[in-house]
Amino acid sequence: MDIRKVITNLDDDEDVRGVYHEFWLVYFWQWLGAFLLFLSPFFFLFLFLDWGSLGSALLLLLFFAGVLWLLRTWRRWYYGVIAITSKRVVIIRQAGLLDRTVSQVDLDKIYDVTYRRKGILQNIINVGILYLTPGSFEKVELGQIADPASIQKLILKTQQEFMVQFAQASRPEPTHQDLLAVVREIRSLVGEERWQRIASGDADERQELIDEVAAKSAEKARAIEQFFGKEDHEEE
């Protein structure tokens, strides 16, 4: 299923991590009823034909009613999905042929993701009800999904990645004074002799220094990389 054909407001750089339908047995009685209604004209074919034009009309009515019921059940299952993207969780509810509700929750607004498996059958076939708790602290039921634990894990993992990217994007660029302060600190720690070798262009020792600093502070390591990157650019 191409979720972008259903949800047209996804960003160009937004990755779709997964699209999940409700477990098909959730609609078992609808499938069964529609299928029996669809087949009923064939079981009573000779009886309806004996009734003449009225029987023929009833035959066609039952046939098309069965087709319509099957189509409605299929659309409810096929378009009733949960989509997980790199920025949000999208919940689509298809109540009928032409009745669709689309709601979205941004990843940074999700407070908790839980699931519940109840009864012998759900535990045997690994199906459970997935719940999403947005900032309003009111649980939203996402439906009965196969392997809910893996979907819970995917949502939480994607949320963590999104929050890291958001934090990095919102972090202000270090000023020139900030860079110089970090450089002076690191320079005093490594010693003038080693610093001069690194500054003269020893790429291996420069990378070794960056790795050593990164083990203690990723921000300082980025500052050192940025400092040397500016120096190299100035030399060019």
Side-chain angles (χ1 to χ4, degrees):
M1 180 181 185
D2 187 358
I3 198 66
R4 292 184 180 275
K5 292 182 179 179
V6 182
I7 309 167
T8 57
N9 67 330
L10 296 183
D11 298 333
D12 293 336
D13 61 342
E14 192 168 353
D15 297 327
V16 178
R17 304 294 176 85
V19 179
Y20 303 94
H21 301 267
E22 279 199 285
F23 192 58
W24 67 274
L25 277 178
V26 172
Y27 299 96
F28 173 76
W29 295 112
Q30 289 92 329
W31 288 117
L32 181 61
F35 190 65
L36 291 177
L37 183 61
F38 174 75
L39 292 179
S40 61
F42 300 98
F43 285 108
F44 303 102
L45 180 62
F46 294 105
L47 177 62
F48 282 131
L49 291 179
D50 286 340
W51 292 354
S53 57
L54 177 61
S56 299
L58 288 174
L59 185 72
L60 290 174
L61 179 63
L62 288 174
F63 176 78
F64 285 111
V67 170
L68 191 63
W69 195 355
L70 282 172
L71 179 61
R72 181 179 183 273
T73 304
W74 176 82
R75 282 181 65 88
R76 287 189 64 189
W77 171 80
Y78 185 77
Y79 288 103
V81 299
I82 302 167
I84 303 169
T85 77
S86 57
K87 295 182 178 181
R88 72 195 87 189
V89 174
V90 182
I91 305 104
I92 303 176
R93 298 284 182 235
Q94 187 76 31
L97 286 174
L98 302 174
D99 185 1
R100 180 182 301 167
T101 303
V102 180
S103 54
Q104 305 180 35
V105 182
D106 293 336
L107 290 174
D108 60 338
K109 301 295 191 301
I110 296 176
Y111 176 75
D112 192 20
V113 184
T114 58
Y115 70 90
R116 179 187 183 188
R117 285 200 301 257
K118 182 180 180 181
I120 297 175
L121 182 60
Q122 285 193 355
N123 280 275
I124 290 175
I125 63 178
N126 191 20
V127 171
I129 302 177
L130 198 66
Y131 298 96
L132 195 69
T133 306
S136 62
F137 301 101
E138 297 178 1
K139 284 186 178 181
V140 178
E141 183 178 322
L142 303 185
Q144 299 188 48
I145 309 294
D147 195 9
S150 66
I151 302 175
Q152 178 196 47
K153 182 179 180 180
L154 176 61
I155 293 176
L156 294 175
K157 180 182 178 182
T158 307
Q159 182 190 41
Q160 184 178 19
E161 293 174 355
F162 174 80
M163 297 303 291
V164 170
Q165 291 177 358
F166 179 79
Q168 291 176 346
S170 60
R171 183 186 295 118
E173 285 291 323
T175 63
H176 183 67
Q177 289 76 11
D178 295 332
L179 289 177
L180 290 179
V182 173
V183 169
R184 282 195 294 267
E185 178 186 349
I186 301 303
R187 186 172 183 172
S188 64
L189 290 174
V190 302
E192 191 63 28
E193 183 179 348
R194 185 184 179 192
W195 181 265
Q196 290 302 327
R197 290 199 305 270
I198 295 171
S200 64
D202 191 329
D204 292 336
E205 193 151 11
R206 178 185 296 183
Q207 187 59 50
E208 183 180 344
L209 173 63
I210 293 173
D211 293 340
E212 290 175 5
V213 175
K216 298 179 180 179
S217 172
E219 291 187 0
K220 290 182 179 180
R222 284 193 294 269
I224 295 295
E225 283 184 320
Q226 188 172 347
F227 174 77
F228 283 122
K230 286 184 176 181
E231 277 200 339
D232 293 342
H233 182 71
E234 289 173 358
E235 290 177 2
E236 291 175 1

